[in-house]
Amino acid sequence: LALPEGWTAEKDIKTVGKLSGATQRTLEPVGPYFLAHARRARHKRTFSEDDRI
Amino acid sequence: MSGAKSVAPENRTVIGLTFGNSNSSIAYTVDDKAEVIANEDGDRQIPTILSYVDGDEYYGQQAKAFLIRNPNNTVAYFRDFLGKDFEHIDPTHNHASAHPKDVDGAVSFTIKDKAEEDAEPSTVSVSEVATRYLRRLVGSASDYLGKKVTSAVITVPTNFSDKQKAALLAAANAADLEVLQLISEPVAAALAYDARPEAQVEDKIVVVAELGGTRSDVAVIASRQGMYTVLATAHDYEFNGVALDKILMDHFAKEFLKRNPSAKDPRENARGLAKLKFEAEATKRALSIGANASFSVESLSDGIDFASTINRLRYETLSRTVFEGINRLVESVIKKAGLDVLDVDEVILSGGTAHTPRIASNFSNIFPQTTRILAPSTNPYAINPSELGARGAALQASLIQDYEADDIDQSTHAAVTTVAHISNAIGVISLNAAGEEIFVPVVPAETAVPAKRTVHVAAPKDGGDVLVKFVEGNTHIKVTKPEPKPKEDKTAKVEDAADSDEESDFSDDEEEEEEKREKVWKIGNTLAEAAIRNVKKGGKVEVTVQVNADLSVILTTREVGAQGGVRGQLNA
């Protein structure tokens, strides 16, 4: 989208909303990507911390 | 799995195992590739049958052959009885073999498993039957691998209760097998496909249709960057392989009676029926491969031999009701997941009955052309549907074989597996060729958090200052009815129809023209707006959305190739 005339915001970003919904569901504990997720979850690591290891 | 058998990781030899009502298979991994193991009979699909003759134990194909001559001491179709009370089982499939018996509410079989002529028949619990069978299965794998198999990942249906799982674990432990994990059959099938080196990790909705002998199970799975969430499942015990066998049995029995009017109906004596069933199943398999198949049984009834043939078209006509039942099952579970066939990216056909070419071609008609139908007859890269479960289990076994048993328990604990999945997709607004605002998804709906996705979106052609608008979006199905014909035209056609039959057919065709259904994105709440200044002509904008476990969102965007960029955060 083209930037409308006179659009300004602090640091050029303006947050307006938030996520409207989520449901609790169960992941299948299968596959390499889940195991990576479980590792992050158990050690409370973030994606970038995990990448560094 | 407290109290369960456990083996130190360094001492393990692992396999993947599918344990079905009709067939079972075993697989191992070599160089990260799963291979299905053939047993000493050369079978990769090993019938789940155990039989005793003169005190010798037979399993698999050999035991299956004894269904004809030694049905009373042969146990078949017992997997689904594990962990169930006698009053809750369906013994339909056991009429032609040892019958399940009620022993204090538990399921048992009475069979002569001792060599001595005058020995009393033994009463063997279903759990013991499973243990004996699993021992043979694992023994085959050990012989093949040249070392003792200690551990396995076993697949189970999605509707297996905790009690059934516990009973299976106990039976496996009694067979001296450590169960590393029980995984869902449809997820194992999805993993078997996703673990192939050429597969790309992506966000997709997958329908796994597991079509077996005594049951058909369908699951809708949200596959999000290699992580699987089951959205809906359906189970059916009517439209299955056994129903297809029955159709062929009836067909050939009628033909036999027509040719031999004085003979007795082979379906009315146990041995004739067993022979019919054995051969019907073989003919059915042949019809999945060739366009014609033969059917022949020696001494089918009254000592009369019978030989005949059938072509695939005739078989498909006879089996239509079963095929349509399977179609309805698939459609119902997609509806149950709150989705439409247009939302489905991939259909995996799994299980023995999934070899049927007609079922795959029916699915091609149900789903849009963009949906991949993974079956041997519709996709050259399809994996053998009978092997998917065992391969998936073998891959999972190789992934977790180095974990301590405690580690596996903790990683599969509900605290780790139960997480929030976002209800709406998160994306940005872009312009299409016609200059209309369109939604470009970045993180699809039903993605488990935390999640992070990056996409590149074309900036307006002329570049300059660009507004990146982050929004939520969801899909709905837009139905466009064919334009109604002008009234005059219609009456004219009716008149024509009176003149000629051909033209009336023509006008019918036109009226039946299908309505057009398409998936369209609806733009929802705005989440944030960001500006990127001085984007080059024809430039692209990189958009990254990260949703954290607490549902806070970090949004970043920059011009592709540029430094810096803007970053914002939404609180949960």
Side-chain angles (χ1 to χ4, degrees):
Chain A
L1 296 183
L3 192 67
E5 282 292 319
W7 188 95
T8 54
E10 194 184 334
K11 288 185 179 164
D12 270 354
I13 187 152
K14 186 157 67 180
T15 56
V16 238
K18 61 184 200 170
L19 286 192
S20 59
T23 42
Q24 291 289 323
R25 290 186 188 273
T26 305
L27 283 167
E28 294 292 320
V30 170
Y33 297 91
F34 172 80
L35 293 174
H37 159 81
R39 196 175 60 229
R40 287 191 297 267
R42 290 175 57 199
H43 300 292
K44 309 221 181 306
R45 281 189 212 130
T46 63
F47 284 109
S48 44
E49 279 165 6
D50 201 55
D51 287 342
R52 264 182 264 133
I53 294 166
Chain B
M1 291 187 211
S2 54
K5 180 181 156 58
S6 97
V7 178
E10 60 274 19
N11 298 329
R12 279 188 190 129
T13 301
V14 303
I15 57 167
L17 197 159
T18 54
F19 179 37
N21 274 315
S22 311
N23 289 287
S24 297
S25 34
I26 40 185
Y28 74 116
T29 49
V30 52
D31 300 335
D32 295 332
K33 241 186 114 224
E35 296 285 353
V36 176
I37 298 171
N39 72 352
E40 55 283 3
D41 297 330
D43 295 321
R44 288 186 170 77
Q45 276 69 58
I46 303 163
T48 307
I49 305 180
L50 199 64
S51 182
Y52 292 88
V53 179
D54 300 332
D56 289 328
E57 183 183 79
Y58 297 88
Y59 85 111
Q61 194 61 39
Q62 297 188 26
K64 189 172 189 172
F66 284 123
L67 281 174
I68 294 169
R69 284 191 288 126
N70 185 28
N72 296 334
N73 298 312
T74 303
V75 187
Y77 301 115
F78 57 86
R79 198 271 318 259
D80 276 0
F81 298 165
L82 276 172
K84 279 203 170 170
D85 299 332
F86 184 83
E87 55 178 322
H88 293 124
I89 64 164
D90 172 13
T92 311
H93 299 292
N94 304 77
H95 285 322
S97 57
H99 293 197
K101 295 224 160 63
D102 184 350
V103 177
D104 301 329
V107 183
S108 288
F109 297 89
T110 302
I111 46 175
K112 282 190 75 168
D113 59 353
K114 296 191 184 74
E116 300 78 36
E117 269 301 306
D118 51 356
E120 281 292 304
S122 313
T123 297
V124 185
S125 70
V126 66
S127 157
E128 172 65 15
V129 171
T131 297
R132 292 181 187 182
Y133 178 79
L134 288 172
R135 200 178 280 140
R136 296 298 299 265
L137 214 54
V138 173
S140 292
S142 298
D143 289 347
Y144 181 92
L145 295 172
K147 50 189 167 181
K148 189 180 161 10
V149 169
T150 60
S151 317
V153 167
I154 306 181
T155 63
V156 291
T158 49
N159 63 343
F160 236 44
S161 68
D162 288 343
K163 216 177 147 198
Q164 286 174 290
K165 288 179 185 172
L168 175 55
L169 285 176
N173 285 171
D176 198 25
L177 182 70
E178 178 197 29
V179 180
L180 296 175
Q181 194 184 354
L182 296 176
I183 66 173
S184 286
E185 286 170 355
V187 180
L191 180 64
Y193 270 105
D194 285 345
R196 294 191 302 177
E198 67 268 32
Q200 280 179 353
V201 187
E202 55 187 351
D203 294 329
K204 59 190 175 186
I205 295 288
V206 183
V207 171
V208 181
E210 285 193 79
L211 311 172
T214 60
R215 49 188 289 168
S216 292
D217 301 276
V218 183
V220 177
I221 300 174
S223 172
R224 300 285 181 245
Q225 298 278 302
M227 288 209 275
Y228 307 102
T229 304
V230 174
L231 300 179
T233 59
H235 311 278
D236 175 89
Y237 301 88
E238 187 180 348
F239 303 111
N240 51 28
V242 168
L244 294 170
D245 296 342
K246 176 88 174 23
I247 286 164
L248 285 173
M249 287 162 71
D250 286 340
H251 169 76
F252 286 117
K254 278 182 205 150
E255 198 181 313
F256 174 81
L257 290 173
K258 209 185 282 172
R259 280 202 229 160
N260 305 284
S262 59
K264 279 202 277 299
D265 190 332
R267 290 170 291 184
E268 279 163 16
N269 80 67
R271 186 173 285 199
L273 193 67
K275 285 181 178 176
L276 266 177
K277 180 166 168 51
F278 194 83
E279 192 59 27
E281 202 186 321
T283 302
K284 179 184 72 176
R285 282 177 197 226
L287 286 168
S288 288
I289 302 159
N292 280 291
S294 59
F295 176 96
S296 70
V297 179
E298 267 180 46
S299 181
L300 178 56
S301 178
D302 289 344
I304 305 166
D305 294 351
F306 178 69
S308 181
T309 59
I310 186 168
N311 67 30
R312 191 187 279 171
L313 199 64
R314 179 95 180 98
Y315 165 64
E316 288 174 351
T317 311
L318 293 169
S319 309
R320 225 178 89 185
T321 48
V322 176
F323 295 159
E324 283 175 355
I326 291 170
N327 289 352
R328 282 197 301 276
L329 185 67
V330 168
E331 287 171 323
S332 73
V333 67
I334 292 169
K335 204 171 163 195
K336 201 165 153 189
L339 298 174
D340 187 272
V341 289
L342 295 173
D343 294 309
V344 177
D345 301 295
E346 201 167 274
V347 181
I348 294 175
L349 278 94
S350 169
T353 303
H355 289 270
T356 311
R358 185 57 189 232
I359 293 175
S361 73
N362 285 345
F363 285 177
S364 305
N365 294 332
I366 296 176
F367 291 95
Q369 283 197 328
T370 47
T371 305
R372 287 185 293 276
I373 310 286
L374 295 170
S377 60
T378 50
N379 190 307
Y381 303 106
I383 300 174
N384 180 343
S386 300
E387 297 189 347
L388 287 168
R391 283 178 184 233
L395 290 161
Q396 179 67 8
S398 79
L399 288 171
I400 60 175
Q401 63 179 335
D402 295 332
Y403 286 43
E404 298 286 349
D406 277 358
D407 270 353
I408 301 173
D409 276 1
Q410 283 177 28
S411 295
T412 56
H413 192 270
V416 175
T417 56
T418 307
V419 298
H421 288 59
I422 58 171
S423 306
N424 293 307
I426 302 171
V428 293
I429 293 175
S430 176
L431 298 175
N432 66 8
E436 292 159 347
E437 288 193 353
I438 54 158
F439 179 81
V440 179
V442 180
V443 187
E446 300 304 349
T447 297
V449 300
K452 186 180 174 183
R453 299 283 190 281
T454 301
V455 297
H456 290 176
V457 186
K461 259 184 278 163
D462 300 331
D465 293 349
V466 173
L467 175 71
V468 181
K469 197 167 168 189
F470 292 91
V471 293
E472 285 191 306
N474 53 42
T475 58
H476 67 113
I477 304 299
K478 190 171 133 194
V479 181
T480 324
K481 290 234 162 62
E483 301 221 342
K485 292 181 193 73
K487 221 175 178 185
E488 285 167 68
D489 196 15
K490 225 173 190 173
T491 45
K493 267 198 179 130
V494 172
E495 281 166 24
D496 281 348
D499 295 338
S500 137
D501 284 349
E502 278 168 47
E503 284 200 45
S504 94
D505 285 349
F506 178 67
S507 79
D508 277 351
D509 280 351
E510 287 226 316
E511 272 164 46
E512 278 170 21
E513 193 182 334
E514 273 184 40
E515 51 191 29
K516 193 174 145 207
R517 304 173 75 250
E518 55 186 333
K519 184 164 96 168
V520 290
W521 283 101
K522 208 171 105 196
I523 295 170
N525 293 339
T526 301
L527 297 173
E529 292 180 340
I532 304 179
R533 300 182 192 270
N534 300 319
V535 174
K536 283 193 294 286
K537 241 183 161 176
K540 284 191 157 202
V541 174
E542 180 183 280
V543 179
T544 301
V545 175
Q546 180 177 330
V547 187
N548 296 323
D550 64 356
L551 294 173
S552 63
V553 188
I554 296 170
L555 308 163
T556 45
T557 179
R558 61 176 179 162
E559 186 183 353
V560 172
Q563 294 293 315
V566 291
R567 183 174 190 279
Q569 177 158 4
L570 307 181
N571 293 323

